[in-house]
Amino acid sequence: MKKSLLTLLVAGVVAAGLSTGAYADGESLRLVNGKIEVDAALKEAAAKYEEETGVHVEIESMGGGVNIQDELKKQYQGTGMPDIFVCGSDADFGNWDGLLADMSDCAWAADTDAGYVGTDGLVGFPYTTEAIGLAYNADILEKAGVDPASITGPESMRAAFETIDAQKEDLGLTAVIGWCCEAQNLYWSTGSHSFANYIDAGLDRDDTTYSDLLADGGQIDHDRFLHYAEMIALFNEYADTDSGFLTSGTYDQQILGFASGKYAFVTQGSWIGATMTTDDAAQYEEAGNFKVGMIPYAFEEGIDTILTNSPSWWAVFQNDNTDAAKAFLDWLATDEGQEILVMKGGFISPFKSCSFVAEDPFAETISEYTAAGKTSSWHWLKNKSGLDQNATGQLYLDYALGSIPDAEGFTQAMTSVIADYYAS
Amino acid sequence: MKANSSSRKLLSLLLLICGAVLFVYALILDFSRSGAKYRGAFLILGIVAIIAGLYFFPTLKYHRRIIYIIFLFPLLFTFAVTVIIPLCLGIYYSFTDWTGIQFTKFVGFENYTTMFSDPQFIWSILITFIFVVLNMVLVNVIAFLLALLCTNGIKGDGFFRAAYFLPNLIGGIVLGYIWQFVFNNVLINITKTSMLVQTKTAMIAIIVVYIWQYAGYIMLIYITGLTQIPGDVLEAAQIDGANPSQTLFQIKIPMIASTFTICTFLTLTSAFKQFDVNLALTGGTGSAQFMGKYLTSGTQMLALNIYNTAVSKNNYALGQAKAVLFFIILACVSLIQVRISNSKEVEL
């Protein structure tokens, strides 16, 4: 009896061990996506691909405050790396040096300039284009008698803000600009996206003057930053301070406020279009489904570009599935794949051969700027890891609170904090 | 008997050898990063064979001891896998330039020297100590008062106990976000700017939330202590004419000295490890002037600093070194605290 019990136990343990050791493999891919809002579109594309080729692609979407690189590292340690995963910056790609597949032999490579080229070759597949610019509500500007094209520098920007501010009540505005410096959850909006304008606004796509300066021990160009800081002071002045939104608002409030016509301007990029037409669709409709546009953050006279880039890329991990993963990405870049991504996911295609245009409120303004060649790049992706969360984001809040009193103080604080951050 | 014994010995040896071979082979496969899928099964089979071999080993003298070890094995194994091995690996990684994926070289004590030249880290240690001291006092005082209130025989004390304990059942992250909403959207009508945006007021906010979360739990322990005081002692005191404050200070408190030890110990270690409320409520934001530097993570306590160093600043090796220091500090403080409290108990 004792023996038979023991045998049973042993058999059970062995069976358990064997069953965990053996897992299904073969024609199945796993993709870790960092844009949770396009989860449904990606799954639809994956289903179509499986229908056509029999290769199953599992879409795993992460978002909502998850540090994806950290999550990937855990999966790597647990031997369960996805075949395709998202990488958003130089530091992200740096993590995986030597582990990513070169895709320069893929069909899509010749169809775009937006791919990410790292030390291992062409390792990033671009999937959309996003733009950073000062978004405006065209209806309100028209009613207020402000021509967006007239805003070309600091004076004209201030004049426009003053004109709108004077008619705030008639226009039903809470504030002229939806600008929020909350540092815990919105540090990326100020510390990276707004800061990006100091680095790139008005410059050619390949001009790296200020990102090089930053990379060299975290230096800041005093004059350029001072002009930028004066624009931020203008934003602080005309933002919604009464309700505390400027210092403790949320991303959701910011988009909702803009979608419901409470702000003439908002300091978020083109990606809010997706939220305006889905989650906030009711309020957007109530506000008249107004036309939107973007103007450059013209903190110096003559700045006439908005910043466009692929916000992140998909990288292929080197393993047995590499070829299958490359084939899937190739398929995504074809008309069939692009149709789903653009029409259902609202992506703005980075591929030249793509003829689909998303029904996104910002799609038109981005293509106008692109066609006119008035775009700059996103060199802020080269910033040191965590610069926004651990250094710059907090300074925008202090500036908004008034604990940093003026533009000169802001410039100096920024200079010393960034230098310290790069030194550590 | 003899034949039986020798056959058992043979079986036992066979199992032991097979088990050891399988076990070592599986480990070699694993360390050489082989993709062989049967290695997990090999490892388990090996361990089972070794255990069986030990069980069948024909000895009277050591049989009892072997059985003890076999019974302890699941616990020891789990403890090793979840505590001992990660601890050793952690210390090992703190001497390298580990990125969370791989490392290229050993850097000696460089991570340790770097962290002490970082004002932000020293600031984090400092505010963590202040936080711990304030909390240890405040949580215990408030919890003890609540416990006295709930053992006074007032009407509906069961309800009050449950109500005070309830916040502890909510996870720290959820609780942090609830209170963030309260500070940013409700209390802002009184404070004008949110309490969470200035370092000083944000620290007060964290302390308030933490007490709100933890006092109920500590209160329950005090209640248990207070209700265990023998009734005859209290009755004797009453007959002798002791007034309520004398009863409290001369009878009740000395009688539950051991409860105080447990409670101070619990509040001390948990306040030191404060992470979730800190992360959810302020995320470490806030600014401060310290050591001639402009710090931008004013409310970032030690645990959050370690997490941010690894995850947000992408410096896993440095974070690991800080974690080792954190472990040492925590171990020392806890040991000293238990020593002091224990010697007090003897005196009383």
Side-chain angles (χ1 to χ4, degrees):
Chain A
M1 182 65 195
K2 214 163 80 184
K3 231 176 209 168
S4 64
L5 258 181
L6 191 77
T7 327
L8 258 180
L9 189 80
V10 171
V13 172
V14 171
L18 286 172
S19 65
T20 53
Y23 50 85
D25 205 357
E27 292 294 86
S28 174
L29 294 170
R30 198 157 69 88
L31 184 150
V32 167
N33 161 47
K35 282 205 173 294
I36 200 130
E37 59 270 28
V38 296
D39 183 61
L42 279 178
K43 282 187 174 142
E44 195 179 324
K48 182 124 192 252
Y49 187 66
E50 184 168 7
E51 208 175 277
E52 282 182 16
T53 60
V55 178
H56 176 71
V57 185
E58 199 187 316
I59 306 291
E60 198 176 308
S61 294
M62 295 180 186
V66 179
N67 188 313
I68 296 172
Q69 287 294 312
D70 184 52
E71 198 55 45
L72 288 169
K73 285 179 184 180
K74 282 181 209 154
Q75 298 196 356
Y76 177 79
Q77 296 294 352
T79 66
M81 272 308 275
D83 305 296
I84 306 170
F85 56 89
V86 64
C87 277
S89 66
D90 283 18
D92 288 0
F93 280 103
N95 283 337
W96 308 99
D97 256 354
L99 300 170
L100 299 177
D102 179 22
M103 293 186 272
S104 43
D105 55 339
C106 285
W108 60 265
D111 198 23
T112 180
D113 304 322
Y116 183 89
V117 181
T119 44
D120 296 336
L122 180 66
V123 289
F125 173 87
Y127 54 90
T128 186
T129 309
E130 286 184 350
I132 296 176
L134 186 53
Y136 62 83
N137 179 330
D139 285 9
I140 290 178
L141 260 61
E142 200 186 322
K143 273 185 219 155
V146 172
D147 177 11
S150 72
I151 302 175
T152 55
E155 279 99 39
S156 45
M157 193 187 281
R158 178 167 282 277
F161 275 42
E162 278 166 0
T163 314
I164 298 168
D165 192 55
Q167 313 169 47
K168 221 164 74 172
E169 256 135 62
D170 299 339
L171 296 168
L173 297 182
T174 317
V176 176
I177 183 168
W179 160 247
C180 179
C181 297
E182 194 269 345
Q184 185 193 355
N185 300 305
L186 270 175
Y187 59 83
W188 50 269
S189 170
T190 50
S192 278
H193 293 166
S194 181
F195 187 74
N197 287 286
Y198 153 75
I199 299 176
D200 274 314
L203 305 183
D204 289 339
R205 288 199 72 87
D206 53 2
D207 189 337
T208 57
T209 315
Y210 300 102
S211 69
D212 287 346
L213 203 60
L214 199 61
D216 181 19
Q219 294 178 69
I220 295 288
D221 181 86
H222 182 269
D223 290 347
R224 184 174 164 92
F225 197 88
L226 190 65
H227 294 140
Y228 168 77
E230 277 155 5
M231 178 182 72
I232 300 300
L234 179 72
F235 290 177
N236 287 340
E237 189 182 336
Y238 288 102
D240 174 11
T241 44
D242 297 340
S243 69
F245 173 77
L246 172 62
T247 50
S248 50
T250 66
Y251 179 62
D252 293 345
Q253 287 171 345
Q254 193 178 19
I255 303 173
L256 187 64
F258 183 69
S260 41
K262 301 283 181 210
Y263 308 126
F265 296 95
V266 72
T267 57
Q268 290 286 353
S270 61
W271 53 88
I272 64 170
T275 315
M276 286 169 67
T277 49
T278 53
D279 291 358
D280 297 346
Q283 287 85 349
Y284 187 40
E285 203 184 327
E286 207 174 297
N289 280 338
F290 53 83
K291 212 171 150 287
V292 298
M294 272 188 182
I295 52 165
Y297 282 96
F299 56 87
E300 278 175 354
E301 201 62 51
I303 287 180
D304 58 355
T305 62
I306 60 169
L307 320 182
T308 62
N309 217 46
S310 184
S312 51
W313 295 263
W314 287 333
V316 171
F317 193 66
Q318 274 181 20
N319 60 13
D320 301 343
N321 287 335
T322 301
D323 289 334
K326 282 182 176 175
F328 175 62
L329 292 182
D330 263 340
W331 180 82
L332 278 183
T334 62
D335 274 1
E336 268 176 301
Q338 285 295 301
E339 185 176 1
I340 299 176
L341 292 188
V342 171
M343 303 315 284
K344 299 282 170 61
F347 282 168
I348 294 163
S349 177
F351 298 103
K352 289 168 200 155
S353 66
C354 174
S355 55
F356 301 103
V357 179
E359 286 174 38
D360 187 271
F362 289 97
E364 197 186 319
T365 192
I366 294 178
S367 40
E368 276 169 23
Y369 275 100
T370 313
K374 296 287 185 196
T375 63
S376 301
S377 183
W378 282 21
H379 287 113
W380 65 271
L381 294 173
K382 293 181 185 303
N383 290 0
K384 192 171 172 182
S385 249
L387 180 72
D388 51 359
Q389 189 177 8
N390 298 294
T392 50
Q394 177 65 33
L395 294 177
Y396 283 88
L397 174 64
D398 289 347
Y399 194 23
L401 283 168
S403 34
I404 296 176
D406 54 14
E408 179 61 38
F410 186 53
T411 308
Q412 279 174 8
M414 205 50 113
T415 308
S416 74
V417 165
I418 292 178
D420 285 346
Y421 192 76
Y422 271 77
S424 71
Chain B
M1 184 68 199
K2 181 101 175 127
N4 190 15
S5 169
S6 68
S7 76
R8 275 189 77 154
K9 189 167 189 171
L10 194 71
L11 176 69
S12 158
L13 279 175
L14 211 68
L15 278 169
L16 277 175
I17 292 166
C18 279
V21 168
L22 280 173
F23 181 73
V24 171
Y25 182 57
L27 282 183
I28 290 173
L29 276 180
D30 198 46
F31 281 116
S32 61
R33 289 207 174 270
S34 147
K37 289 185 183 87
Y38 48 81
R39 65 185 199 278
F42 269 28
L43 190 77
I44 292 171
L45 274 176
I47 292 171
V48 170
I50 292 172
I51 291 175
L54 282 173
Y55 180 77
F56 290 124
F57 198 74
T59 159
L60 282 177
K61 200 173 166 196
Y62 297 110
H63 189 71
R64 206 168 266 266
R65 195 166 292 172
I66 287 170
I67 296 294
Y68 288 159
I69 292 172
I70 291 174
F71 270 103
L72 267 178
F73 176 76
L75 186 74
L76 288 177
F77 181 76
T78 325
F79 188 65
V81 167
T82 57
V83 179
I84 303 293
I85 295 175
L87 182 71
C88 297
L89 272 179
I91 295 170
Y92 175 71
Y93 283 141
S94 73
F95 293 102
T96 67
D97 64 346
W98 190 51
T99 62
I101 299 168
Q102 53 206 351
F103 67 86
T104 50
K105 62 176 192 290
F106 285 95
V107 297
F109 281 91
E110 196 187 300
N111 287 324
Y112 291 88
T113 48
T114 320
M115 74 186 176
F116 285 113
S117 57
D118 175 14
Q120 178 64 58
F121 184 61
I122 298 170
W123 172 262
S124 289
I125 295 177
L126 205 71
I127 60 165
T128 307
F129 270 96
I130 296 170
F131 176 80
V132 167
V133 172
L134 278 176
N135 262 300
M136 213 166 69
V137 176
L138 289 173
V139 169
N140 278 295
V141 168
I142 291 170
F144 186 66
L145 291 178
L146 289 178
L148 283 179
L149 203 70
C150 290
T151 49
N152 255 355
I154 49 165
K155 234 181 189 169
D157 60 350
F159 169 77
F160 285 111
R161 280 182 206 187
Y164 292 135
F165 182 67
L166 207 61
N168 196 255
L169 298 177
I170 309 170
I173 297 277
V174 179
L175 206 127
Y177 285 125
I178 292 172
W179 276 91
Q180 189 184 51
F181 182 84
V182 172
F183 285 119
N184 283 350
N185 295 289
V186 183
L187 290 177
I188 200 165
N189 294 318
I190 307 162
T191 55
K192 291 301 164 208
T193 48
S194 167
M195 273 180 81
L196 300 177
V197 297
Q198 302 276 11
T199 308
K200 275 181 203 160
T201 48
M203 277 314 287
I204 295 172
I206 296 174
I207 292 174
V208 168
V209 174
Y210 184 77
I211 293 174
W212 191 73
Q213 180 194 19
Y214 214 61
Y217 176 59
I218 298 298
M219 173 200 75
L220 274 197
I221 304 175
Y222 279 124
I223 289 180
T224 319
L226 286 171
T227 48
Q228 275 172 358
I229 298 173
D232 48 357
V233 179
L234 293 175
E235 213 181 320
Q238 207 179 7
I239 291 165
D240 286 343
N243 63 29
S245 77
Q246 277 173 326
T247 319
L248 176 65
F249 288 106
Q250 315 277 333
I251 316 275
K252 283 184 180 172
I253 291 178
M255 293 280 298
I256 60 165
S258 61
T259 311
F260 276 99
T261 310
I262 295 165
C263 289
T264 42
F265 178 73
L266 279 176
T267 44
L268 180 87
T269 47
S270 78
F272 244 114
K273 291 187 284 193
Q274 176 49 254
F275 176 78
D276 43 11
V277 173
N278 194 196
L279 176 80
L281 202 59
T282 71
T285 56
S287 54
Q289 296 282 349
F290 182 62
M291 288 168 67
K293 298 281 184 193
Y294 195 115
L295 300 186
T296 45
S297 303
T299 61
Q300 190 179 65
M301 281 186 269
L302 206 46
L304 187 59
N305 182 291
I306 292 168
Y307 172 80
N308 255 14
T309 306
V311 173
S312 166
K313 297 186 182 175
N314 202 10
N315 197 338
Y316 277 67
L318 183 60
Q320 196 57 63
K322 287 178 177 179
V324 170
L325 179 82
F326 188 40
F327 167 75
I328 295 169
I329 294 179
L330 209 56
C332 291
V333 171
S334 304
L335 282 177
I336 293 169
Q337 203 269 339
V338 169
R339 267 279 150 86
I340 294 172
S341 297
N342 278 345
S343 63
K344 272 256 176 58
E345 270 172 52
V346 178
E347 276 170 36
L348 290 162

